[in-house]
Amino acid sequence: MCPKYEAAAEILGKKWTGLIIRVLLAGPKRFKEIKEQIPEMSDKMLTDRMKELEQHSIIKRTVYPEMPVRIEYELSDKGHHLQPVIESIQKWGEEWL
């Protein structure tokens, strides 16, 4: 098996990861906005997945020094390149599930 394919499948195959990426394809979101669109996911799981995606440079976290502090998450260029993958999965799901 190709190690790069295996690594990509491991990242994208984790529960909730695809949904988070799909939500962020619509543009930058705050934590609570992502959570509202995926209500079945716990706060801890969302936090863990966001940290993983940030470590893989798939999402960017921007802190705005306001009162109160505002934090937004958005896809990086690397994350935006997943759009055709996410759209293909959506299309396959609509056709076959």
Side-chain angles (χ1 to χ4, degrees):
M1 183 68 67
C2 172
K4 290 187 178 185
Y5 176 85
E6 187 177 350
E10 185 174 325
I11 294 166
L12 298 175
K14 287 189 175 180
K15 188 170 183 176
W16 308 114
T17 298
L19 290 173
I20 293 168
I21 293 169
R22 189 169 185 267
V23 166
L24 291 174
L25 281 170
K29 302 273 185 282
R30 296 176 76 168
F31 186 93
K32 71 175 192 157
E33 294 173 317
I34 299 167
K35 181 73 173 91
E36 286 170 358
Q37 292 191 32
I38 314 172
E40 301 84 18
M41 183 175 31
S42 71
D43 287 357
K44 181 182 179 338
M45 182 58 69
L46 178 55
T47 299
D48 290 349
R49 289 295 179 262
M50 297 301 278
K51 285 179 183 176
E52 290 171 5
L53 291 170
E54 189 176 7
Q55 288 172 351
H56 290 290
S57 302
I58 293 171
I59 64 168
K60 297 187 292 185
R61 179 179 181 264
T62 305
V63 179
Y64 296 94
E66 304 170 347
M67 285 305 268
V69 172
R70 179 171 53 104
I71 300 171
E72 284 188 346
Y73 300 90
E74 65 182 309
L75 293 174
S76 64
D77 288 339
K78 184 177 180 178
H80 277 291
H81 276 84
L82 288 168
Q83 184 167 356
V85 175
I86 300 299
E87 289 173 351
S88 292
I89 294 169
Q90 176 72 40
K91 183 178 178 184
W92 182 87
E94 289 171 1
E95 185 172 338
W96 295 102
L97 299 178

